[in-house]
Amino acid sequence: MKENKSKYAILGILSLGPISGYDIKKVFQRSVANFWSESYGQIYPLLRTLVAEGLATKSIEKQVGKPDRHTYVLTNKGFEELQQWLIEPVQDQIGRIEIALKLFFGHRVKVADNIRQVEHFREMRGQELQALIAIEERLKVEHANKPNLPYMLMTVSYGQHVTQALIQWCEETLSFLSKMTAKPKKGIKGLTKKNVRGDKRRSRQSQ
Amino acid sequence: MKENKSKYAILGILSLGPISGYDIKKVFQRSVANFWSESYGQIYPLLRTLVAEGLATKSIEKQVGKPDRHTYVLTNKGFEELQQWLIEPVQDQIGRIEIALKLFFGHRVKVADNIRQVEHFREMRGQELQALIAIEERLKVEHANKPNLPYMLMTVSYGQHVTQALIQWCEETLSFLSKMTAKPKKGIKGLTKKNVRGDKRRSRQSQ
DNA sequence: GCCATCATGTAATCTGTTACATGATTAT
DNA sequence: ATAATCATGTAACAGATTACATGATGGC
């Protein structure tokens, strides 16, 4: 039904104050980078259409030595459209999860390969969690008593909860996988390239 | 660096046995739908290139009354390419999380609107968790002692962990939000359209 | 001299979904 | 009758990234 999330993402940034396309990219990188991003190829054409639709106005600042700054300001209509989107319930879409896909076909490689994969994933999550904790601390200091601080913290908390859960999942999956290496049973024992390919013959109905 | 996950997804399905493009879609829907999907517009052209690259071979089965079935079989080269991808560490990409984006701009609407948003999200997660538990039970019965059952269960567990964490986050966020309704402080109290828009003047440096 | 930053934008490319075209069979 | 399933595929569109073009300033 409703399309173009990028449009609303930009409307949201514009609601924070007058800003240029160049700076919009920076704001994305510095604030919502954990769960959202936009490229210039999206931003600049979209700003044009926002103006065409009467959701924003544009004014040009002359600068010495530097290129002109094209500054955009949200209109009332634009602000209302943003609000309308904000209260609309999110439609959940199935994201593509690469590690899950790889693990789904995990029996095509050695158990040790899967262990390595999950270990690497866990390390990345560990780093991510540390980063999210650092962001939380930074926000509390830099945005102290700003009205949107609570909302910023909620989004950081979202990331922390998910990342923490993934680390937990890694631990459980790793202990499960190491049990598989310890006592491999029929179909896993003596895993060779030839044996693995041999699965193909009896697999059409394994879906 | 490495591109086209769809290609490996299809190679993975092919590793389960000879199959047609039509059935590949079904297998996606019936097995990995929670974290992956492919459309015909991806599958059919990709099968053609897989054959061109020598990663699969094609043979046509004539059927009475029904259209021909084009059946694809993985080659050794294709199997090796799949294995190579499976052991490669996943590169993590920042997915777009709509509810986080909406909440990030939550101070642009009423606290009650954000509460409604999170409540709806929690209900969806609740349903999702129930579905994942049902899938787990179904897999344990239908795929009992199949060699890839453990790997299937790991992917289901992934979803369960994340979904459970999101429900937890919803609870915490909701209690936080209701505290905000109880005692709204400066900048939140007396929220009117005019006051909200007024934020714009001091917001360029709030990034 | 060279690279990064400022600042705009476009074009090419990639990835993915949706809708359509075809046409027979089977179930309601 | 009509809808769904079987089965292939393409074309049109949508969404997004990357690389490029332009050109000045300022730091190493």
Side-chain angles (χ1 to χ4, degrees):
Chain A
M1 306 283 129
K2 270 289 171 188
E3 23 60 71
N4 227 354
K5 319 274 160 68
S6 299
K7 175 181 167 181
Y8 299 105
I10 293 174
L11 284 178
I13 304 289
L14 289 180
S15 84
L16 303 172
I19 193 167
S20 67
Y22 187 75
D23 283 343
I24 285 173
K25 180 99 190 287
K26 292 204 160 174
V27 171
F28 275 115
Q29 283 160 353
R30 287 174 198 170
S31 61
V32 296
N34 297 300
F35 54 87
W36 207 270
S37 71
E38 298 288 348
S39 61
Y40 289 133
Q42 292 275 99
I43 294 168
Y44 284 117
L46 258 172
L47 283 172
R48 180 188 293 268
T49 57
L50 289 183
V51 172
E53 288 172 12
L55 306 177
T57 55
K58 174 184 186 170
S59 57
I60 297 172
E61 290 171 35
K62 291 255 159 70
Q63 294 186 130
V64 270
K66 295 174 185 176
D68 292 353
R69 262 180 71 91
H70 297 207
T71 309
Y72 295 83
V73 178
L74 203 62
T75 63
N76 282 317
K77 197 180 161 194
F79 187 69
E80 276 156 30
E81 189 139 334
L82 170 65
Q83 284 182 313
Q84 230 241 281
W85 178 74
L86 289 177
I87 61 172
E88 225 164 70
V90 294
Q91 66 225 53
D92 37 298
Q93 53 217 13
I94 19 78
R96 292 173 145 201
I97 302 168
E98 203 183 331
I99 186 125
L101 188 65
K102 282 189 173 167
L103 228 46
F104 187 84
F105 300 118
H107 61 303
R108 293 301 176 223
V109 289
K110 295 186 203 123
V111 176
D113 290 324
N114 292 306
I115 289 174
R116 225 171 289 125
Q117 186 66 254
V118 177
E119 271 172 349
H120 176 260
F121 188 75
R122 182 186 52 178
E123 270 161 46
M124 295 295 108
R125 289 323 111 207
Q127 286 173 29
E128 196 181 5
L129 187 58
Q130 289 311 305
L132 286 168
I133 289 166
I135 287 169
E136 184 187 351
E137 296 312 316
R138 207 203 65 202
L139 285 177
K140 281 176 177 171
V141 176
E142 287 181 21
H143 295 259
N145 66 40
K146 291 239 181 71
N148 56 333
L149 175 62
Y151 293 101
M152 289 179 164
L153 291 177
M154 287 174 212
T155 67
V156 176
S157 172
Y158 183 107
Q160 287 173 352
H161 274 76
V162 171
T163 307
Q164 188 66 73
L166 289 179
I167 290 170
Q168 186 66 37
W169 170 79
C170 286
E171 304 295 351
E172 290 175 28
T173 302
L174 283 171
S175 83
F176 192 83
L177 283 166
S178 52
K179 262 176 241 159
M180 283 172 67
T181 343
K183 38 168 182 174
K185 31 186 177 179
K186 53 213 153 135
I188 292 169
K189 175 169 53 187
L191 192 85
T192 68
K193 213 168 267 183
K194 204 141 189 236
N195 279 344
V196 172
R197 297 296 308 289
D199 281 0
K200 292 205 302 179
R201 278 185 295 267
R202 55 171 156 88
S203 56
R204 269 307 293 290
Q205 58 274 42
S206 68
Q207 270 44 262
Chain B
M1 304 286 130
K2 270 290 170 187
E3 22 61 73
N4 228 353
K5 319 273 160 67
S6 299
K7 175 181 166 181
Y8 299 104
I10 292 174
L11 284 177
I13 305 289
L14 288 180
S15 84
L16 303 172
I19 193 168
S20 66
Y22 187 75
D23 283 342
I24 285 173
K25 181 100 190 286
K26 292 204 159 173
V27 171
F28 275 116
Q29 283 161 353
R30 289 175 197 170
S31 61
V32 297
N34 297 301
F35 54 86
W36 209 270
S37 71
E38 298 289 348
S39 60
Y40 289 132
Q42 292 275 101
I43 293 167
Y44 284 116
L46 257 173
L47 284 171
R48 181 189 292 268
T49 58
L50 288 184
V51 172
E53 287 173 13
L55 306 177
T57 55
K58 174 182 184 169
S59 58
I60 297 174
E61 289 171 36
K62 292 253 159 71
Q63 295 186 130
V64 271
K66 295 175 185 177
D68 292 351
R69 261 179 72 90
H70 297 209
T71 309
Y72 295 83
V73 177
L74 203 63
T75 64
N76 283 315
K77 198 179 161 194
F79 187 69
E80 276 156 31
E81 190 139 333
L82 171 65
Q83 284 182 313
Q84 230 240 280
W85 178 73
L86 288 177
I87 62 173
E88 226 164 69
V90 293
Q91 66 225 52
D92 37 297
Q93 55 216 11
I94 17 80
R96 293 174 143 200
I97 302 168
E98 202 183 331
I99 186 129
L101 187 66
K102 282 188 172 166
L103 228 46
F104 187 83
F105 299 119
H107 59 304
R108 294 301 178 222
V109 290
K110 294 185 203 128
V111 176
D113 290 324
N114 293 305
I115 288 175
R116 225 171 290 126
Q117 187 66 254
V118 177
E119 271 173 348
H120 176 259
F121 188 74
R122 183 186 51 178
E123 270 162 47
M124 295 296 109
R125 288 325 110 207
Q127 286 172 29
E128 196 181 6
L129 187 58
Q130 289 312 307
L132 285 169
I133 289 167
I135 287 169
E136 185 187 349
E137 296 313 314
R138 206 202 65 203
L139 286 178
K140 281 178 179 171
V141 175
E142 287 181 22
H143 295 260
N145 67 39
K146 290 239 182 72
N148 57 333
L149 175 63
Y151 293 102
M152 289 179 163
L153 292 177
M154 286 174 211
T155 67
V156 176
S157 171
Y158 183 107
Q160 287 173 352
H161 275 77
V162 171
T163 307
Q164 188 66 72
L166 289 178
I167 291 169
Q168 185 67 36
W169 170 79
C170 285
E171 306 294 352
E172 289 175 28
T173 302
L174 283 170
S175 82
F176 192 83
L177 283 166
S178 53
K179 261 177 240 159
M180 283 171 67
T181 343
K183 39 168 180 171
K185 33 187 175 177
K186 45 181 168 153
I188 292 168
K189 176 170 53 187
L191 190 86
T192 68
K193 214 169 269 187
K194 205 143 189 232
N195 280 344
V196 171
R197 297 296 308 287
D199 282 357
K200 292 205 303 177
R201 278 186 295 269
R202 55 172 154 87
S203 56
R204 269 306 293 288
Q205 59 275 41
S206 67
Q207 270 42 268

